[in-house]
Amino acid sequence: MPTARRTAILALLLVAAGSLAFATGAAVLDDPADTLADDRVAIQPADGPNGKYAYLNEDDEIVVDVSPSNPNVSADFEGVNVGSTGRIDDVFTITYTANETADVWIEHAGENLTFVTDDGPIENESNDVTLGPDESVSVGLRFDTRGTEAGTYLSGDEFAIHANVTDPASAENAAFTAEGDDDDSAGPQVLVASSGPSARGLEANDVDPGDTLRFETDGMSIDRANLTLDGLDLHGVSTRSVRMNASGTPEPLPEAGPLETAQEPVPLGYLALEYDFDPAGVEEMAIRFSIDRDALGGTDPGNVVVFRRSDDGDWEPRETEVLDEESVEVRGLSEDRVHFVARTGEFSTFAVAAHTDRIRVSDADLAESAVETGDETTVTATVENGGGAAGERTLALTADGGTLASTTVSLAPGESTTVSFPVGFAEADAYDLAVDGTPAGTLVVGDGTDSSDGGSQGGTGGGTDTSGDAGQIDADGSGSDAADDGSSSASEDGASSEVDAEPVEEPGGFGIPELAGVMGVLAVLLGWLAVIRRMPRS
């Protein structure tokens, strides 16, 4: 019974084209080889066991094939495992056969493969290998099948070899691909190489002043498939060659730090560009990227913005455009994604972010701190939208955590408004009030009550307090202090009466009548005591 395929197919084909005009002679290799530049650059399967993954086809073209179709592998071989990473060393060799020296490196458009030597990647000119006369370099493959489907090819059907010759009479950069063109007027040579799902090497040579360079990055991951870099376009290029490395990550880059701006947008991913040319030689760069519609959720695409980190450490927004449906259809782009173009005149680290509303209560206050039961006062709150997107929010007035009332506000970016709530209570108590969690203060609610003996009146805010030693309160609200030698007190009709100057007897005091009674009781007790002492004793 056949088993389900769990492997992916890795296959590359190099079709050599063009030539290098070396001024020096060349040595022809004894073994068959795919030769370039009049036999001056030769590609052959490596001698070791992994050399079986490379062979020459009937047209003497080198083929790198890690799949069941390779005639050199056993019949039960199915390919490399899906969801894995690995490395296959010493698959083929590149030999320089001229008399000078040359810097060689490889470019290709595959996303899941990297060409490597014993010293690391050989992709991009920054990772080139210098070869002397008849010197070879052994090349292997590093693969990453994570996110691929079983039975699918990992890479395209072409890769390119560069040789930068140091002979002064012929030192020029040449590339060979399956789509090579002998017409020198075809424009600049543009190459994109993958060094992983979230990294690309970008290169252009023979650039004429004013050229536009279009690099297709084939959905380079910034945040998995949620956010991808689809391409970079350089307009008005005045430099002869361009080399850049692009890398993406959902996390802040250590050298740049997290996105921080006044409107607090939500970062979606970060893009870093490293370059070895003067950025003043490029008038404008267009960053083409897309976001999965499901990942975008309810965010308005118009609120997605690209920020550039300046040399001063500030994050500056860049003009960001959403492609309309017609543009997406004309360009043949995926309708399952939202496509954007951001434009910048400067290179650096970039952040893709989404503006949101930031509606908050900045202040809340009570009109009065105390009222009588049944009376009302007002709670007022200032509401601001500090975000970069318009929004709507429902605000609740609470007392001791329980909701009393609510209202809904809609604010544009940077807009503020004031909301008011009437508030009153039927029961006397102290209530802690807040609007959307922002404290407004404590409201004391209580009834004022007159005491029958002229004491103080209870409650605050709605009644008048009196003090027994601070003077009396007149019926019309005025007060007068008591004199030391006598005073007049307020009557109900407002008239005053004289107060007796005699000392006021303290309630519950010990006077003369009380003392006489005590003395009588003592006399009776003493009489009884004398009678008892004279009685005869038996």
Side-chain angles (χ1 to χ4, degrees):
M1 177 181 294
T3 59
R5 179 182 292 277
R6 296 189 179 91
T7 59
I9 298 170
L10 186 159
L12 292 168
L13 173 66
L14 172 67
V15 180
S19 63
L20 284 174
F22 292 144
T24 58
V28 178
L29 301 177
D30 294 334
D31 296 328
D34 186 358
T35 61
L36 309 176
D38 296 333
D39 299 334
R40 288 163 175 81
V41 176
I43 306 168
Q44 296 175 296
D47 292 334
N50 290 338
K52 64 185 178 183
Y53 296 120
Y55 61 89
L56 299 177
N57 64 12
E58 59 185 9
D59 296 322
D60 288 331
E61 298 164 340
I62 191 75
V63 174
V64 178
D65 189 351
V66 185
S67 77
S69 64
N70 188 329
N72 298 329
V73 301
S74 60
D76 58 352
F77 179 77
E78 292 188 350
V80 296
N81 291 330
V82 170
S84 65
T85 61
R87 176 168 170 159
I88 306 173
D89 291 323
D90 303 326
V91 176
F92 63 92
T93 60
I94 302 174
T95 303
Y96 172 65
T97 66
N99 294 333
E100 299 296 331
T101 61
D103 298 329
V104 297
W105 68 96
I106 296 175
E107 301 282 6
H108 78 103
E111 182 176 347
N112 302 91
L113 296 177
T114 304
F115 287 92
V116 294
T117 68
D118 290 341
D119 295 326
I122 192 175
E123 294 186 355
N124 305 323
E125 187 175 3
S126 59
N127 297 319
D128 60 15
V129 175
T130 301
L131 300 178
D134 299 326
E135 188 176 358
S136 298
V137 61
S138 182
V139 180
L141 301 169
R142 187 170 63 203
F143 61 86
D144 184 348
T145 63
R146 292 174 296 184
T148 62
E149 296 181 3
T152 58
Y153 283 83
L154 297 184
S155 187
D157 60 356
E158 64 180 55
F159 60 95
I161 296 178
H162 292 258
N164 194 10
V165 184
T166 56
D167 177 12
S170 59
E172 56 183 303
N173 191 0
F176 306 92
T177 70
E179 299 178 359
D181 194 338
D182 294 333
D183 185 2
D184 292 337
S185 63
Q189 300 176 29
V190 177
L191 296 169
V192 178
S194 170
S195 54
S198 58
R200 297 288 186 273
L202 314 175
E203 180 181 343
N205 297 294
D206 300 329
V207 182
D208 293 328
D211 271 348
T212 292
L213 303 177
R214 189 176 180 88
F215 297 98
E216 300 295 341
T217 53
D218 192 27
M220 186 193 87
S221 172
I222 295 177
D223 179 14
R224 299 167 295 173
N226 295 335
L227 169 61
T228 60
L229 176 68
D230 301 326
L232 294 172
D233 300 336
L234 275 56
H235 302 283
V237 182
S238 59
T239 182
R240 184 64 176 167
S241 64
V242 169
R243 295 182 183 87
M244 292 190 295
N245 289 323
S247 60
T249 173
E251 302 299 329
L253 295 160
E255 62 273 17
L259 172 66
E260 295 180 348
T261 70
Q263 293 181 328
E264 302 180 46
V266 178
L268 305 178
Y270 296 83
L271 171 67
L273 295 179
E274 298 178 355
Y275 50 90
D276 63 356
F277 59 91
D278 184 359
V282 177
E283 291 183 2
E284 182 185 71
M285 178 174 66
I287 303 173
R288 292 181 281 121
F289 64 99
S290 62
I291 302 176
D292 182 82
R293 289 189 182 276
D294 292 337
L296 196 59
T299 301
D300 184 345
N303 290 331
V304 175
V305 179
V306 170
F307 290 82
R308 173 189 174 269
R309 189 178 186 276
S310 69
D311 295 338
D312 296 331
D314 298 326
W315 291 92
E316 303 167 341
R318 288 293 178 262
E319 175 190 350
T320 306
E321 171 191 0
V322 184
L323 295 187
D324 56 33
E325 294 181 1
E326 182 178 356
S327 298
V328 170
E329 182 178 359
V330 169
R331 300 184 188 187
L333 302 176
S334 171
E335 297 181 359
D336 294 332
R337 305 181 67 81
V338 182
H339 300 267
F340 304 83
V341 177
R343 306 184 186 280
T344 178
E346 298 169 295
F347 295 72
S348 180
T349 298
F350 299 89
V352 180
H355 277 306
T356 64
D357 64 89
R358 302 285 184 179
I359 298 178
R360 301 185 180 97
V361 174
S362 61
D363 184 59
D365 292 296
L366 269 167
E368 300 173 83
S369 61
V371 295
E372 295 296 339
T373 54
D375 290 346
E376 286 189 349
T377 185
T378 303
V379 176
T380 303
T382 301
V383 189
E384 301 174 342
N385 183 3
E392 182 178 279
R393 183 159 182 174
T394 299
L395 309 173
L397 170 68
T398 60
D400 297 333
T403 300
L404 299 179
S406 63
T407 187
T408 300
V409 297
S410 298
L411 296 175
E415 188 179 6
S416 64
T417 189
T418 300
V419 297
S420 297
F421 297 91
V423 59
F425 297 91
E427 296 182 4
D429 205 342
Y431 300 89
D432 292 328
L433 302 178
V435 179
D436 206 44
T438 299
T442 300
L443 178 64
V444 178
V445 179
D447 290 328
T449 303
D450 291 336
S451 63
S452 58
D453 60 356
S456 61
Q457 186 178 17
T460 53
T464 305
D465 292 338
T466 62
S467 173
D469 58 358
Q472 302 286 338
I473 301 298
D474 293 334
D476 61 358
S478 62
S480 59
D481 293 332
D484 291 339
D485 56 352
S487 62
S488 62
S489 60
S491 63
E492 290 183 359
D493 59 0
S496 62
S497 60
E498 293 297 330
V499 180
D500 190 355
E502 292 294 329
V504 178
E505 184 179 35
E506 290 289 335
F510 198 75
I512 294 176
E514 289 79 4
L515 180 59
V518 172
M519 294 301 292
V521 172
L522 290 175
V524 172
L525 290 175
L526 290 174
W528 276 101
L529 181 59
V531 171
I532 291 172
R533 292 186 58 159
R534 291 192 177 115
M535 291 179 65
R537 300 180 182 178
S538 59

